[in-house]
Amino acid sequence: MTQTQLQSPELPVNHGAHPEKWEWYHYFTFNIDHKVIGIQYLVTAFIFYLIGGLMAVAMRAELATPDPDIVDPNLYNALMTNHGTIMIFLWIVPSAIGGFGNYLVPLMVGARDMAFPKLNAIAFWLNPPAAALLAASFYFGGGSQSGWTAYPPLSLVTAPTAQTLWILAIVLVGTSSILGALNFVVTIWKLKVPSMKWDQLPLFCWAILATSVLALLSTPVLAAGLVLLLFDLNFGTSFFKPDGGGNVVLYQHLFWFYSHPAVYLMILPIFGIMSEVVPVHARKSIFGYKAIAYSSVAICVVGLFVWVHHMFTSGTPGWMRMFFTISTLIVAVPTGVKIFGWVATLWGGKIRFTSAMLFALGLLSMFVLGGLSGVTMGTAPFDVHVHDTYYVVAHFHFVLFGGSVFGIYAGIYHWFPKITGRFLNETLGRIHFVLTFIGTLATFLPMHELGLQGMPRRVAMYDPQFIALNQICTIGAFILGASVIPFFLNVLWSWGFGRKAGDNPWNALSLEWTTSSPPAIENWDTLPVVTHGPYEYGFNEEDDNSVRSGTKVEPSI
C-alpha cells in the first residue's frame, strides 16, 4: 500500500487567486504563499548570516594580537554586540523557524497554506525594518555597545541613540516571532488533514509546535523588559537606573526568562530537522518516535525554569542557585532522549553519506560536546569560576553554531530538491562540510582552555599569554569564512543548472514528498490521505522493494 491516497478536497483549489507559477520577482513582493515566504526567510537570513559572519571575522582578526591594531575598542564593542544580535535574531531564528517552518509545516500536515497567510507575510516583513534599524544604529552613535544582552547600567550610559534603535529592532523581531508562533500553533492544530493522527505527525512539526508555545510564553516578557529600558533611556524613568532606585537584576530576570528559552527556540527546530534527515538517509524507522516527540514538549516546559543559571554571580541566594542547578540538569534529560534516539536510529541503518547526512552527523558530535560543557556550567560552583570567560563563548558557539548552523545546512541539502526540483552538487557539499567542521573545531575548541585560564570575553585587548590560542581561533574563523564560498556557489549553480530531482528523490515517507518538486501553488490538486506514519521504513513493502531494487535516485557527485 502506498503512503497516501487522494481524496477530493473540502474546498476547491483557488486557481484565480495565484498565478500559474511564481516568477523571480514575486519573491520581492508582499506574497502570502507559505513557500514563497519560507524562501524569503531563508534567503534574507543567509544575507544576515554573511553580515554577522563578516563582523565575527573582523573581531577574530583583531584578537589575533593583544593590542587594538585593526579596530578600536569602541568599534569592537559595537561589532560584538551586533554580531550576536544578527546571528540570533536575524539568522538562526528566522531561518530555522521562519524559513523551514513556513515552507514545510503546511506541506507536512497536508494543508494548502498557513492558517493566517496575510499575518504570515506581515511577520516576515517586520524583519527587514529591524535590520535597517540595526544598520542605522551604526550611523547614529556608532552602534550599540552593551552586548547582545543590553545589561543596564552599561546600556543606559553608552551610545543612547544607537541603543534605542537596537531596542526598537529587537521589539520588531520579537513581534514577528509572536505572530509566526501563533500561526504555527493554529496551522498544526486545525489544518492537518483529518486522516493524520497525532502519532503520525512528523517530528519536525512537533518541534515547531513546542517552539511556538515557548515563543508565545516567553517573548512578551523580553518585550516588556526592553520597553522599560527604552523608557529609562528616553523618558526619565528609573526602572533599571541604580541611582534612581531602579533594579538592574530585575532586568536580568526579564531578559533571561526569554533569552534562555531562546536557545530552545533556535535548537528545537534544528532537532526537528535532525529527526527528519537521520531516518531518511539511514533508511530506518526513527527509534523512539513518541519519546522524541514528547521530549520536545518536556524541553518547552522545563526550559521555562532554568533562566537563573545565567545569573549565579548576580547575588542570587543559595536556595535559588540549588533550584536552578537542579532544573538545568533536568532539562538535559529530554535532550539526551533525542540524542540517544538518533544514535539508535543510525545503529544498523543503511546509511547514505550524503551532504545532508554529513552535516547531521557533524551536528550530533558538536552538540554533544557543547552539551557536556553546558552541564558543567549548569552547576553553580563551576559557573562562578568560568563566568564571563571564553569558556562560556566556547559552550555557546558549540551549541548554537555547531548545533543550529550545522542543522540548517543539513536541512538545506535535504530539502533543496523539493524546493527547487534540483540536487545540490555533492562534491561541493562535502568540501563545504569539511571546511565547516574543521573551522568550527579550530575556532571554538581552544576557547575552552582560554576560559579555564581566565581570559575574559567581550574585550578587544588581552594579556599576551593568550596569543597562541587566540591565533589558532583566528585561523579557524578564516576557515569558517571560506567555508561559505563553496556553499554559496553550489546553491547559485545548482538552482539553475543542477541535476534534476524527482518528486521524491530520497524515497522519504512524509507528506511533503507526495507533491511535485517544486510544489504546486496550493500544494495539491486534491488533499492527501495518510495511511501510515512518516518513518515506517521497513514496514512498507513498496518502499522496501524500491530500496532493494535500487530504484531510488542518488544525488549527483
Side-chain angles (χ1 to χ4, degrees), residues 528-542:
V529 174
V530 177
T531 60
H532 60 69
Y535 311 108
E536 293 183 3
Y537 304 103
F539 295 91
N540 183 285
E541 183 177 350
E542 179 178 326

Side-chain angles (χ1 to χ4, degrees), residues 416-417 419-425 487-501 518:
F416 191 86
I419 295 172
T420 67
R422 296 180 183 271
F423 285 111
L424 283 166
N425 182 273
F487 172 73
F488 187 67
L489 295 175
N490 198 354
V491 170
L492 289 181
W493 185 87
S494 298
W495 203 314
F497 307 102
R499 190 164 68 88
K500 291 186 178 180

Side-chain angles (χ1 to χ4, degrees), residues 251-292:
Y251 174 86
Q252 294 186 29
H253 281 287
L254 295 174
F255 180 84
W256 287 114
F257 185 81
Y258 163 81
S259 293
H260 189 83
V263 174
Y264 306 123
L265 299 185
M266 291 181 271
I267 203 64
L268 273 174
I270 303 304
F271 288 166
I273 291 173
M274 278 286 290
S275 297
E276 302 301 326
V277 171
V278 168
V280 170
H281 295 269
R283 305 309 305 166
K284 187 180 175 185
S285 181
I286 192 78
F287 183 88
Y289 168 89
K290 289 185 178 180
I292 293 176

Side-chain angles (χ1 to χ4, degrees), residues 62-78:
E62 168 57 43
L63 291 169
T65 63
D67 300 320
D69 45 15
I70 295 180
V71 297
D72 67 77
N74 288 332
L75 179 57
Y76 179 90
N77 290 340

Side-chain angles (χ1 to χ4, degrees), residues 151 214 218 252-265 267-268 297-313 316 319-335 374-375 377-380 383 387 395:
Y151 276 2
L214 197 58
S218 61
Q252 294 186 29
H253 281 287
L254 295 174
F255 180 84
W256 287 114
F257 185 81
Y258 163 81
S259 293
H260 189 83
V263 174
Y264 306 123
L265 299 185
I267 203 64
L268 273 174
V297 180
I299 290 173
C300 171
V301 174
V302 182
L304 290 169
F305 299 95
V306 299
W307 79 91
V308 174
H309 71 221
H310 293 275
M311 302 168 55
F312 283 154
T313 60
T316 51
W319 67 266
M320 186 176 289
R321 289 182 177 182
M322 181 63 70
F323 175 84
F324 283 95
T325 292
I326 294 172
S327 64
T328 300
L329 298 178
I330 289 175
V331 81
V333 174
T335 305
V375 170
M377 289 172 52
T379 56
D383 182 78
H387 185 78
H395 158 71

Side-chain angles (χ1 to χ4, degrees), residues 76-86 144-148 166:
Y76 179 90
N77 290 340
L79 292 174
M80 181 267 299
T81 297
N82 287 276
H83 162 73
T85 302
I86 290 171
S144 172
Q145 301 173 28
S146 58
W148 78 278
W166 183 92

